[in-house]
Amino acid sequence: MPLHAFTRPRYVSTAAAAAVLAVTACAPSSPGSSAIPAPATSAPGLPGSHVHGLSVNRETDQILLATHGGLFDVTIQPATKIGGTNDLMGFSAGAKPGVLFASGHPGPGSDLPNPLGLIKSTDGGKSWEPLSRQGESDFHALTAAKSGLVAFDGTLRTSPDGKSWSVQSAGFAPAALAADPTSDTVLATTQDGLQRSTDGGRTWALVPAAPSSSTSRSPAPPRQSAWNRAAPSTLQPTAGPPGQRRDGLTGKSRR
């Protein structure tokens, strides 16, 4: 199932601005709790878990799904589980082959802290190393731009290396963050519409022509998706402050 739409980069992290994916959101678990509920039933060959992120390698057609029950390669059927079972709430591919960034909560048997903070894989998700903010941040929105990472854990943060972080006063809570690893253009879906940054997430401006949350709400039921090939970037549909869930990509919160 090849998904070609872009001329760059090597990895395309499908974004809120580039794709509409209505998925079942999950509220962050409380600190100290690492239990992951049993996966829900799904179509044959697909992971039976909430999908939080997706990346496509346009050179190999590899499609990765970051889910409530871990990372899955769905390039061919049946889907193949990669690495351990961790709840990958935030997920983004880096510019280099095999480099992935994630956040969320540890799964059963994991020795990773809860929440995960920012973790990194250099082998395509087979193993993960903690980078920063372990036990502090559960990034529901996460993306990699040319100058570094942009992430949201209730506060919008940027990092040049995944280790040191700066707080950015954006004035909005992104439901999704989207970036091209070869550019510093970052997109964020918000309740008021699409926000755009051209400096790696430090400053933002509303995109007037983009649809607002009232018109961008996906009518698709959970686990259905619609692919829009018009623009690059990253899908993180479940961003929200702790204790809240979000409806698709609209930014509408619900308890």
Side-chain angles (χ1 to χ4, degrees):
M1 181 175 60
L3 296 178
H4 292 291
F6 314 104
T7 58
R8 60 184 180 130
R10 179 184 298 270
Y11 277 94
V12 174
S13 295
T14 329
V20 175
L21 180 62
V23 295
T24 304
C26 311
S29 58
S30 59
S33 172
S34 61
I36 294 179
T41 302
S42 66
L46 294 177
S49 293
H50 303 156
V51 176
H52 299 305
L54 180 154
S55 74
V56 180
N57 184 324
R58 63 172 299 274
E59 292 186 357
T60 66
D61 287 340
Q62 184 187 44
I63 305 169
L64 298 179
L65 295 185
T67 80
H68 194 54
L71 186 66
F72 289 84
D73 184 339
V74 296
T75 311
I76 59 175
Q77 298 301 315
T80 302
K81 178 78 171 293
I82 301 176
T85 301
N86 293 298
D87 182 5
L88 303 179
M89 299 296 297
F91 177 75
S92 181
K96 296 181 179 180
V99 173
L100 303 171
F101 298 95
S103 188
H105 305 277
S110 174
D111 57 359
L112 294 172
N114 187 31
L116 293 175
L118 181 69
I119 57 176
K120 178 182 180 180
S121 175
T122 57
D123 56 11
K126 296 176 183 177
S127 63
W128 297 89
E129 63 170 316
L131 282 188
S132 62
R133 300 194 64 79
Q134 278 65 55
E136 296 181 85
S137 290
D138 172 16
F139 294 118
H140 280 207
L142 173 66
T143 193
K146 182 178 181 180
S147 62
L149 296 162
V150 186
F152 183 75
D153 61 353
T155 299
L156 188 67
R157 305 177 189 273
T158 58
S159 173
D161 55 8
K163 297 179 180 180
S164 60
W165 293 87
S166 299
V167 173
Q168 306 299 335
S169 300
F172 58 81
L177 290 168
D180 180 336
T182 66
S183 167
D184 270 338
T185 296
V186 185
L187 303 179
T189 55
T190 76
Q191 286 185 311
D192 297 323
L194 186 68
Q195 294 275 350
R196 177 177 176 172
S197 171
T198 58
D199 56 9
R202 290 185 291 276
T203 61
W204 298 83
L206 189 67
V207 180
S212 65
S213 60
S214 61
T215 58
S216 63
R217 183 176 294 111
S218 171
R223 290 187 172 80
Q224 289 186 352
S225 65
W227 184 268
N228 183 330
R229 300 187 176 189
S233 284
T234 294
L235 170 63
Q236 303 295 341
T238 57
Q244 290 185 339
R245 298 171 64 180
R246 289 187 176 270
D247 293 323
L249 299 175
T250 66
K252 180 181 179 182
S253 299
R254 56 191 173 99
R255 292 287 180 182

